[in-house]
Structures are given as C-alpha cells and as structure tokens.
Amino acid sequence: MLIAIDGNEANVRNRVGSNEYAFQILKNIWKTQLLSRPRLGITFKVYLKSRPLKDLPEETSWWKYKVLKPKFLWTQWRLPLELIKEKNRIDVFFTPGHYSPRFCPIPLAISIMDLAFLRYPEQFLQKDLWQLKKWTALSVKKANKILAISESTKNDIIKFYDVKPDKIVITYPGINMKNKKQKTKNTYRKLKNKYKFNDNYFLYIGTLQPRKNLIRLIKAFSSTINHQPSTINHLVIVGKKGWLYDDIFEKVKGLGLEKNVIFTGFISEEEKNSLLQNAFAFILPSLYEGFGFPVLEAMKVSCPVIVSKVSSLPEVAGDACIYINNPKSVDSIYKAMLKMIKLDEDKRKELINKGYQQVKKFSWKKTAEKTLSVLEKLGG
C-alpha cells in the first residue's frame, strides 16, 4: 500500500498549532512504521513545495519526499495534476489540515483543528474568512474520512457541515513526555534581563488574535494588581501577531500597564519551556479552542493552569486546572486568577500533580497509530 501525504504544514521553521500537529504526525507515523514496516508492508510518499527541512523524518526505502514545482497555485493545480498522474499507484491521500487538493481521484483523508472561523467570523479578516470558508467546505465535502482533534471539533463539523458522525474519527493530539523539566536557568535569566519582569508572573502562550480573549485578560490582570498589590506584578504574553491585534496593545497603553504586560513575540522552544517552568501560573482565557497545546505543555513542567471552560478545553484539562466559567466576563477571569493566587501550598501541589497525570493521557504515538489505522482502512 502506498500512502501519499501533503507535508507542507510540517515543512516550516517556526511551527505553531497546526504546523506542530502536522510535524508530529509525520514524525510519529515514521517511527511507528520503522518498528512495524516488515509486517505492514506500507510505503509513503510525502509531497512538498520546497526541499524538506533537516528535522523532518529521513528518507528510507519506504519513506520518500517529492518536491513539486512551481509553488504557484500548488494545491489548486500542481498537486492535483500529480495525483491524477499517480492515481493507479497511490492507495490513499492524507492532508494533515483542511486545505485538500482541489481535485483528488484517490480516497482522501483530512484533519480539522477547529472551526473558529464559523463560530466567530467577525474576528477574522474578510480575505482569510473567505478562503477558510470556501476551502474547508470543499475539503469536507470531498473527504472520505475526517480526523478531528477533539470531541468539540467533531460536534462542530457535524453541526456546520451536516456530516454523518461515522465519517469523523477523533484523534487527540499528543505531547512529548521526554525531558519533563530541563535546566533552563541561563535562558530564563537572559529573558528576565531582556524583558524586565519579576519571578512572579502569569503567562499566556498563543497567537495574538481576538478569540484568544487577551483584552479581557489584560483588564482582569489589571484588577489583580489593584486588589493584590505586590503579589503578581507581571503578565507575560508569548506569541506572534495574528490578526486584529492592535486593540490589544492599545488596551495596555490605556491602562498604563506598559511595564507590567510584557510582549515577547515568537520565541524558541527552550525559551518557552523556561518561562513555563518559572511561571506562577499559565492562563488561557480563550473564547474557543480546537485543542489547546500550551495547556499540556504547562502541565508537563509542573506549571499550574487556568483555562476557559469552553469548547475542547475541558477535554484537555480535565479536573487538573482552575476554570474560567465565563471567559466573556472580565470578572470571571479575575476571580479565576484570584483563586490561583489564594491557593495554599498543599492545594497548589495537588493541582500540579493532577496536571502531570492528565498529560499522560495524550501521546503522539497513540495519535499516529490511530491515524495510520484510519489511512490503512481507507486505502484498503
């Protein structure tokens, strides 16, 4: 059996969200196949727009890359042309994302992270919204199987696209449990010197965009400073600019919090881990999440967590966090932050231990094995 994969989501340097998902899927399918290939007899061909980065799985006799040129309108015509040419050799085609090829004469599987653009269309730029709506609808219609990364995402797909439940398979993403806690003292010291923050800080990690609810978070943080002086003096916000983010910076200026709210932009994995390991707490006040990778990343390194009680986040966090019951309420976010501040040492340790047990439920190995099983059945 020959399984073909669109590897472009994984073939980027600064990976976030969907990029990391695609990368881990490729990496762990490769690992799974390395151990069981003689029994399974499956080969893979990964299609790319440009040469594979060095950290992608290495080529073998059963794992090959093929770069298709030109990049222009790659998904619309270049990839479909190749699939038409190879349709008698390829058994199944997999896109670890929701932009499938315009034409696909081969059984097709896609992955969907979330449908935030349908739930909160006003929070997207019109050109992005048009593309997301058009291409996702086409991909859902063409796909023989859809991999959803949470029960919440599955329910949204059924609701918005009237898809039969048996067409959708839930494949929870995972997390790498190796190096639970690395020594990052030097990295942390450099970050503190660069951005000028104290040891006690709340930490947010994610793209700067409206549904992440950062304006309400900043307002709630301002209340913690006013009501709990000298306790937690900084909110560190990590992540690249997405869209409609200007109001976030304006709110910080309007509240006079330029020295208290720290924006780092995109940072390395080592830097991110050092901030998580030393944070007072991680907070994700999102209005909607397809999954929420940073929640598990925080729990893995013993950082207590505050999250919104919406969409997929209860699936991810379980009972190992403090919940924001209504993320549209600044007061609700403030109360969750205040609850974390007031935890005694024993309760804090209990929350941290619950978090580490929760992380163990999610494994990229399991994700890859389940994905591979779906592809085998579809290709067979």
Side-chain angles (χ1 to χ4, degrees), residues 15-18 202-214 217 235-243 245 248-249 262-269 272 275-276 282-286 288-289 292-295 297-298 313:
R15 298 185 181 101
V16 296
S18 59
F202 283 106
L203 176 65
Y204 162 87
I205 298 173
T207 305
L208 276 60
Q209 56 175 286
R211 73 177 168 94
K212 300 297 185 175
N213 209 22
L214 291 174
L217 172 59
L235 168 62
V236 180
I237 294 178
V238 173
K240 67 181 183 178
K241 295 175 182 177
W243 51 88
Y245 50 77
I248 298 168
F249 297 102
I262 312 298
F263 293 94
T264 69
F266 185 88
I267 60 176
S268 69
E269 283 297 307
K272 184 175 72 175
L275 288 175
L276 281 168
F282 170 76
I283 183 163
L284 188 64
S286 295
Y288 178 90
E289 289 286 338
F293 287 105
V295 174
E297 291 173 338
L313 290 172

Side-chain angles (χ1 to χ4, degrees), residues 107-144:
L108 171 67
I110 65 171
S111 294
I112 293 183
M113 310 290 110
D114 64 65
L115 297 178
F117 59 91
L118 294 179
R119 284 200 169 271
Y120 297 94
E122 72 281 0
Q123 297 187 357
F124 289 78
L125 297 175
Q126 281 304 308
K127 64 181 180 66
D128 296 331
L129 184 61
W130 181 86
Q131 182 172 312
L132 284 162
K133 281 184 172 181
K134 181 178 176 65
W135 278 96
T136 306
L138 285 170
S139 298
V140 167
K141 185 177 180 180
K142 287 184 294 183
N144 302 91

Side-chain angles (χ1 to χ4, degrees), residues 202 214-233 235 251 255-257 260-261 329-339 341-342:
F202 283 106
L214 291 174
I215 290 177
R216 290 192 183 96
L217 172 59
I218 290 163
K219 288 180 180 178
F221 172 68
S222 179
S223 296
T224 69
I225 292 179
N226 294 333
H227 291 82
Q228 297 290 318
S230 77
T231 305
I232 310 294
N233 294 317
L235 168 62
K251 180 55 65 177
L255 293 172
L257 295 174
N260 302 91
V261 179
S329 161
V330 173
D331 188 58
S332 184
I333 300 171
Y334 164 67
K335 285 177 178 177
M337 297 173 85
L338 198 60
K339 186 176 181 180
I341 290 170
K342 291 183 175 180

Side-chain angles (χ1 to χ4, degrees), residues 182-376:
Q182 300 171 331
K183 294 180 180 179
T184 57
K185 286 184 179 179
N186 289 337
T187 302
Y188 179 60
R189 186 168 60 249
K190 289 177 183 177
L191 286 168
K192 280 183 66 180
N193 290 336
K194 180 177 180 180
Y195 295 108
K196 311 298 181 189
F197 59 88
N198 296 336
D199 283 330
N200 276 344
Y201 58 90
F202 283 106
L203 176 65
Y204 162 87
I205 298 173
T207 305
L208 276 60
Q209 56 175 286
R211 73 177 168 94
K212 300 297 185 175
N213 209 22
L214 291 174
I215 290 177
R216 290 192 183 96
L217 172 59
I218 290 163
K219 288 180 180 178
F221 172 68
S222 179
S223 296
T224 69
I225 292 179
N226 294 333
H227 291 82
Q228 297 290 318
S230 77
T231 305
I232 310 294
N233 294 317
H234 289 102
L235 168 62
V236 180
I237 294 178
V238 173
K240 67 181 183 178
K241 295 175 182 177
W243 51 88
L244 302 177
Y245 50 77
D246 289 333
D247 289 348
I248 298 168
F249 297 102
E250 288 300 318
K251 180 55 65 177
V252 172
K253 289 180 182 178
L255 293 172
L257 295 174
E258 292 96 327
K259 293 183 179 180
N260 302 91
V261 179
I262 312 298
F263 293 94
T264 69
F266 185 88
I267 60 176
S268 69
E269 283 297 307
E270 183 181 344
E271 290 172 325
K272 184 175 72 175
N273 286 334
S274 73
L275 288 175
L276 281 168
Q277 288 175 30
N278 291 283
F280 174 75
F282 170 76
I283 183 163
L284 188 64
S286 295
L287 300 173
Y288 178 90
E289 289 286 338
F291 188 69
F293 287 105
V295 174
L296 297 182
E297 291 173 338
M299 290 176 172
K300 185 180 81 166
V301 296
S302 303
C303 179
V305 169
I306 303 169
V307 296
S308 299
K309 200 170 188 177
V310 297
S311 57
S312 66
L313 290 172
E315 296 176 63
V316 179
D319 66 349
C321 70
I322 289 175
Y323 279 111
I324 300 164
N325 291 317
N326 178 13
K328 292 184 178 180
S329 161
V330 173
D331 188 58
S332 184
I333 300 171
Y334 164 67
K335 285 177 178 177
M337 297 173 85
L338 198 60
K339 186 176 181 180
M340 181 66 78
I341 290 170
K342 291 183 175 180
L343 281 184
D344 62 36
E345 194 59 33
D346 288 340
K347 290 290 186 182
R348 185 176 170 88
K349 285 181 180 177
E350 181 183 342
L351 194 65
I352 289 169
N353 288 333
K354 281 184 176 180
Y356 191 63
Q357 295 307 313
Q358 180 71 8
V359 172
K360 292 179 181 178
K361 298 176 183 179
F362 300 91
S363 157
W364 283 118
K365 182 175 182 291
K366 290 179 186 176
T367 312
E369 287 174 347
K370 194 166 185 178
T371 301
L372 192 53
S373 176
V374 171
L375 297 178
E376 280 187 83

